Amino acid sequence: MEKTPISPLGEGDTEVIALVVNGQLWGLYEGLAGTFASFAYACLAKNTLPGYAAEDILAGADRAGRRLTLTIRGRRSREELAAVMDKALVNIVAFPGGKGEACCVIEAAAET
Amino acid sequence: MALKTEKEYLDTIRKMKPRVYIGGKWVDNLLDNPVTRSMVLANAAIYGLAEDPAHKEVMVASSHLTGEPINRNLNVARSIHDLDMRQEMALLTSQTVGTCNYRCVGCDALNSLASTTWEMDRDLGTNYNERFNKWLAYAQANDLAVSGAITDAKGDRKKRPSQQDEIDTFVHLVEKRDDGIVVRGIKVSQSGAIGSHETLVLPGGALREGEEKFALAFAVQNSAPGLSYICQYNAYSAEREMCDDEYELGNPLYGQRETSTMYFDNVFIPWERVFLCGETKYCGRMVTRFAKAHRMNCGGACKVGFADLIIGGTLLAAEYIGVDKVPHIQEKIIDMLRYSETSHACAIAAAMRGREEPKGSGVYLPDDLFGNAAKLNIAHGFWEIIKNAGDIGGGLVVTMPRIKDLEDPEVGPALKKAFGAVAPAEKRLKVAKFLQHWSAGLHGPGTWHGAGAPQTQRFMFTVLTDFEAKKKMAKKIMGLKD
């Protein structure tokens, strides 16, 4: 049978998520549409980050539309915070990269 | 990059932290625990096969969604050739790792979903197929390891899901939200989800009107909060944990077959990953189509790969004690081959007689009767194969000491005398341990139940066979009148 592309991923089928650490953009991540909703549910309803079920890591989470603001427990450098968030995003099957404008933002900061 | 390397897969798994419990403790890192590591290394080896040009025809397909090269574990069969290469992949992966291809259930689940979501969209005007194709395109683009979960815990088998005292024995819907659904319940005997990126969850069986909340198919990210994995634990798990050198083990790198009980404790699934929600009428055919594919692959061809390994080990055992030319030994080896090659032939026949289902979907599924024949034949044949392996391997298969005992200054010299024959003692013990792994391990019951217990295939034989036509043929040739 002829192999004709019938449904490649188009605009809106994936989500580009901007990861902001300590107020500055760290990088972009891309996941299937719905990834941000999964991430937000983890933080708001389960009070944890994906992949961190064994740790009490989340001190606070707040969502305003497509922006999620997180407070991560412990004093951590910007690099350490970014590593925490990178692992959490990969655990919800979003990977570094992504083209175009971010449609949602996850902002992380350490406890002060 | 549509094809991930073995290393790239391992790099992502190092970051994955699903909630995994095994033998009394939570696993911090899948690659640090010796048992979970064996599962992950087996999956990595499957990625490695796709990198090898010698296996490209079998392991790499072309995506019908994008035209890009993809791992065949994420391919929707669109032709007889695709079906044939799929069953050959089951054979090759089993020969390579001697345990599950942990992407196999996911592969057969996604073929069932491709077929059934297309049918639902056609009949009901839903957009499940479009959603599924987008999920699949994403999985293919990132070469995700996708496992599958089908079997519910089921509770009291006399009762329907909604009649169970404990409703969690079936995965069910808890809440519908604007952005997705929340599910809870238990799936059991799940192979390899812990080392996968995602799992495709299908209904466990046919459902009736009124059972809508159990009618669910979705993809879940394996570290989604609320999802836990309670791994199997047995003598082989303990042995792997206790041993200080994996060389001692029957399958040093890849282990026995590792499964877990998946507990969904209010897990969120975004709508983009939901492929059936409430349509009870389509659950039976979704499971049947999965089974059709899985009996050809897991039930048939995969176990032929295991049989090849067992036959190889048995030949070595015979050679090492000088009985390889003895007629009754050779006869038993031929019997082992008879079972395995017949099952391979059935799997090939299932592929060759495959057809588009439903018409117009573009999705090819294997022939049901031959797929069931492959599985039923090897379910019985496998016991015969391991019986002969034990017969030819001798009592040593279960009475052997540790291999490293050969080096013990006190008992080593005696053991070398005892077990040295045509080949030195170490080789004999190594082969005996390999045969112990197969004949006294988990694979007998695993092969019996994997892809459905034989009673299911017997039932399918009664459904798929035209018994009246056979009687008519016999009467005609006998000249017997009605």
PDB file of all heavy atoms in Angstrom, chain B residues 305-322:
ATOM      1  N   GLY B 305      11.533 -17.851  19.084  1.00  0.00           N
ATOM      2  CA  GLY B 305      12.872 -17.322  19.396  1.00  0.00           C
ATOM      3  C   GLY B 305      13.400 -17.901  20.691  1.00  0.00           C
ATOM      4  O   GLY B 305      14.584 -18.265  20.804  1.00  0.00           O
ATOM      5  N   PHE B 306      12.522 -17.992  21.697  1.00  0.00           N
ATOM      6  CA  PHE B 306      12.936 -18.620  22.959  1.00  0.00           C
ATOM      7  C   PHE B 306      13.334 -20.076  22.705  1.00  0.00           C
ATOM      8  O   PHE B 306      14.344 -20.565  23.228  1.00  0.00           O
ATOM      9  CB  PHE B 306      11.791 -18.596  23.974  1.00  0.00           C
ATOM     10  CG  PHE B 306      11.465 -17.234  24.549  1.00  0.00           C
ATOM     11  CD1 PHE B 306      10.350 -17.051  25.366  1.00  0.00           C
ATOM     12  CD2 PHE B 306      12.259 -16.132  24.288  1.00  0.00           C
ATOM     13  CE1 PHE B 306      10.042 -15.811  25.897  1.00  0.00           C
ATOM     14  CE2 PHE B 306      11.962 -14.885  24.812  1.00  0.00           C
ATOM     15  CZ  PHE B 306      10.839 -14.729  25.616  1.00  0.00           C
ATOM     16  N   ALA B 307      12.502 -20.757  21.897  1.00  0.00           N
ATOM     17  CA  ALA B 307      12.771 -22.171  21.609  1.00  0.00           C
ATOM     18  C   ALA B 307      14.135 -22.330  20.927  1.00  0.00           C
ATOM     19  O   ALA B 307      14.886 -23.271  21.240  1.00  0.00           O
ATOM     20  CB  ALA B 307      11.661 -22.748  20.736  1.00  0.00           C
ATOM     21  N   ASP B 308      14.465 -21.413  20.026  1.00  0.00           N
ATOM     22  CA  ASP B 308      15.775 -21.480  19.365  1.00  0.00           C
ATOM     23  C   ASP B 308      16.904 -21.450  20.397  1.00  0.00           C
ATOM     24  O   ASP B 308      17.892 -22.178  20.282  1.00  0.00           O
ATOM     25  CB  ASP B 308      15.941 -20.303  18.394  1.00  0.00           C
ATOM     26  CG  ASP B 308      15.090 -20.475  17.135  1.00  0.00           C
ATOM     27  OD1 ASP B 308      14.704 -21.609  16.823  1.00  0.00           O
ATOM     28  OD2 ASP B 308      14.813 -19.452  16.474  1.00  0.00           O
ATOM     29  N   LEU B 309      16.738 -20.567  21.387  1.00  0.00           N
ATOM     30  CA  LEU B 309      17.771 -20.457  22.430  1.00  0.00           C
ATOM     31  C   LEU B 309      17.850 -21.735  23.270  1.00  0.00           C
ATOM     32  O   LEU B 309      18.941 -22.217  23.593  1.00  0.00           O
ATOM     33  CB  LEU B 309      17.481 -19.253  23.337  1.00  0.00           C
ATOM     34  CG  LEU B 309      17.574 -17.872  22.668  1.00  0.00           C
ATOM     35  CD1 LEU B 309      17.022 -16.791  23.586  1.00  0.00           C
ATOM     36  CD2 LEU B 309      19.019 -17.550  22.299  1.00  0.00           C
ATOM     37  N   ILE B 310      16.669 -22.259  23.609  1.00  0.00           N
ATOM     38  CA  ILE B 310      16.650 -23.473  24.437  1.00  0.00           C
ATOM     39  C   ILE B 310      17.248 -24.653  23.662  1.00  0.00           C
ATOM     40  O   ILE B 310      18.027 -25.451  24.211  1.00  0.00           O
ATOM     41  CB  ILE B 310      15.210 -23.809  24.879  1.00  0.00           C
ATOM     42  CG1 ILE B 310      14.649 -22.651  25.715  1.00  0.00           C
ATOM     43  CG2 ILE B 310      15.164 -25.106  25.674  1.00  0.00           C
ATOM     44  CD1 ILE B 310      13.140 -22.732  25.940  1.00  0.00           C
ATOM     45  N   ILE B 311      16.904 -24.744  22.389  1.00  0.00           N
ATOM     46  CA  ILE B 311      17.448 -25.834  21.564  1.00  0.00           C
ATOM     47  C   ILE B 311      18.970 -25.686  21.446  1.00  0.00           C
ATOM     48  O   ILE B 311      19.715 -26.669  21.575  1.00  0.00           O
ATOM     49  CB  ILE B 311      16.765 -25.857  20.180  1.00  0.00           C
ATOM     50  CG1 ILE B 311      15.284 -26.256  20.342  1.00  0.00           C
ATOM     51  CG2 ILE B 311      17.478 -26.817  19.222  1.00  0.00           C
ATOM     52  CD1 ILE B 311      14.421 -26.005  19.109  1.00  0.00           C
ATOM     53  N   GLY B 312      19.418 -24.453  21.265  1.00  0.00           N
ATOM     54  CA  GLY B 312      20.870 -24.205  21.198  1.00  0.00           C
ATOM     55  C   GLY B 312      21.565 -24.649  22.472  1.00  0.00           C
ATOM     56  O   GLY B 312      22.607 -25.335  22.451  1.00  0.00           O
ATOM     57  N   GLY B 313      20.997 -24.271  23.615  1.00  0.00           N
ATOM     58  CA  GLY B 313      21.566 -24.661  24.908  1.00  0.00           C
ATOM     59  C   GLY B 313      21.557 -26.170  25.095  1.00  0.00           C
ATOM     60  O   GLY B 313      22.523 -26.761  25.620  1.00  0.00           O
ATOM     61  N   THR B 314      20.469 -26.800  24.652  1.00  0.00           N
ATOM     62  CA  THR B 314      20.344 -28.252  24.813  1.00  0.00           C
ATOM     63  C   THR B 314      21.367 -28.989  23.946  1.00  0.00           C
ATOM     64  O   THR B 314      21.962 -29.995  24.379  1.00  0.00           O
ATOM     65  CB  THR B 314      18.906 -28.693  24.449  1.00  0.00           C
ATOM     66  OG1 THR B 314      17.985 -27.904  25.200  1.00  0.00           O
ATOM     67  CG2 THR B 314      18.678 -30.160  24.759  1.00  0.00           C
ATOM     68  N   LEU B 315      21.572 -28.485  22.744  1.00  0.00           N
ATOM     69  CA  LEU B 315      22.589 -29.089  21.864  1.00  0.00           C
ATOM     70  C   LEU B 315      23.969 -29.018  22.516  1.00  0.00           C
ATOM     71  O   LEU B 315      24.752 -29.979  22.469  1.00  0.00           O
ATOM     72  CB  LEU B 315      22.612 -28.368  20.510  1.00  0.00           C
ATOM     73  CG  LEU B 315      21.443 -28.661  19.555  1.00  0.00           C
ATOM     74  CD1 LEU B 315      21.411 -27.638  18.417  1.00  0.00           C
ATOM     75  CD2 LEU B 315      21.544 -30.082  18.994  1.00  0.00           C
ATOM     76  N   LEU B 316      24.259 -27.864  23.130  1.00  0.00           N
ATOM     77  CA  LEU B 316      25.565 -27.713  23.800  1.00  0.00           C
ATOM     78  C   LEU B 316      25.689 -28.679  24.979  1.00  0.00           C
ATOM     79  O   LEU B 316      26.744 -29.306  25.182  1.00  0.00           O
ATOM     80  CB  LEU B 316      25.749 -26.272  24.290  1.00  0.00           C
ATOM     81  CG  LEU B 316      25.949 -25.217  23.200  1.00  0.00           C
ATOM     82  CD1 LEU B 316      25.906 -23.808  23.801  1.00  0.00           C
ATOM     83  CD2 LEU B 316      27.277 -25.434  22.465  1.00  0.00           C
ATOM     84  N   ALA B 317      24.580 -28.800  25.737  1.00  0.00           N
ATOM     85  CA  ALA B 317      24.606 -29.712  26.895  1.00  0.00           C
ATOM     86  C   ALA B 317      24.917 -31.138  26.445  1.00  0.00           C
ATOM     87  O   ALA B 317      25.712 -31.847  27.086  1.00  0.00           O
ATOM     88  CB  ALA B 317      23.264 -29.662  27.630  1.00  0.00           C
ATOM     89  N   ALA B 318      24.291 -31.545  25.330  1.00  0.00           N
ATOM     90  CA  ALA B 318      24.514 -32.901  24.814  1.00  0.00           C
ATOM     91  C   ALA B 318      25.961 -33.065  24.345  1.00  0.00           C
ATOM     92  O   ALA B 318      26.626 -34.071  24.635  1.00  0.00           O
ATOM     93  CB  ALA B 318      23.544 -33.179  23.671  1.00  0.00           C
ATOM     94  N   GLU B 319      26.440 -32.060  23.628  1.00  0.00           N
ATOM     95  CA  GLU B 319      27.807 -32.074  23.098  1.00  0.00           C
ATOM     96  C   GLU B 319      28.831 -32.158  24.242  1.00  0.00           C
ATOM     97  O   GLU B 319      29.817 -32.878  24.162  1.00  0.00           O
ATOM     98  CB  GLU B 319      27.995 -30.766  22.332  1.00  0.00           C
ATOM     99  CG  GLU B 319      29.002 -30.764  21.217  1.00  0.00           C
ATOM    100  CD  GLU B 319      28.968 -29.409  20.518  1.00  0.00           C
ATOM    101  OE1 GLU B 319      27.944 -29.086  19.880  1.00  0.00           O
ATOM    102  OE2 GLU B 319      29.957 -28.661  20.644  1.00  0.00           O
ATOM    103  N   TYR B 320      28.585 -31.421  25.308  1.00  0.00           N
ATOM    104  CA  TYR B 320      29.552 -31.328  26.406  1.00  0.00           C
ATOM    105  C   TYR B 320      29.682 -32.621  27.212  1.00  0.00           C
ATOM    106  O   TYR B 320      30.627 -32.781  27.988  1.00  0.00           O
ATOM    107  CB  TYR B 320      29.190 -30.167  27.346  1.00  0.00           C
ATOM    108  CG  TYR B 320      29.415 -28.788  26.749  1.00  0.00           C
ATOM    109  CD1 TYR B 320      28.991 -27.645  27.415  1.00  0.00           C
ATOM    110  CD2 TYR B 320      30.059 -28.618  25.518  1.00  0.00           C
ATOM    111  CE1 TYR B 320      29.186 -26.381  26.887  1.00  0.00           C
ATOM    112  CE2 TYR B 320      30.249 -27.357  24.975  1.00  0.00           C
ATOM    113  CZ  TYR B 320      29.813 -26.243  25.654  1.00  0.00           C
ATOM    114  OH  TYR B 320      30.010 -25.001  25.122  1.00  0.00           O
ATOM    115  N   ILE B 321      28.686 -33.521  27.064  1.00  0.00           N
ATOM    116  CA  ILE B 321      28.850 -34.821  27.740  1.00  0.00           C
ATOM    117  C   ILE B 321      28.977 -35.959  26.731  1.00  0.00           C
ATOM    118  O   ILE B 321      28.909 -37.145  27.087  1.00  0.00           O
ATOM    119  CB  ILE B 321      27.710 -35.118  28.759  1.00  0.00           C
ATOM    120  CG1 ILE B 321      26.338 -35.033  28.088  1.00  0.00           C
ATOM    121  CG2 ILE B 321      27.800 -34.198  29.967  1.00  0.00           C
ATOM    122  CD1 ILE B 321      25.201 -35.542  28.971  1.00  0.00           C
ATOM    123  N   GLY B 322      29.094 -35.614  25.472  1.00  0.00           N
ATOM    124  CA  GLY B 322      29.386 -36.624  24.455  1.00  0.00           C
ATOM    125  C   GLY B 322      28.205 -37.467  24.008  1.00  0.00           C
ATOM    126  O   GLY B 322      28.386 -38.598  23.556  1.00  0.00           O
TER     127      GLY B 322
END
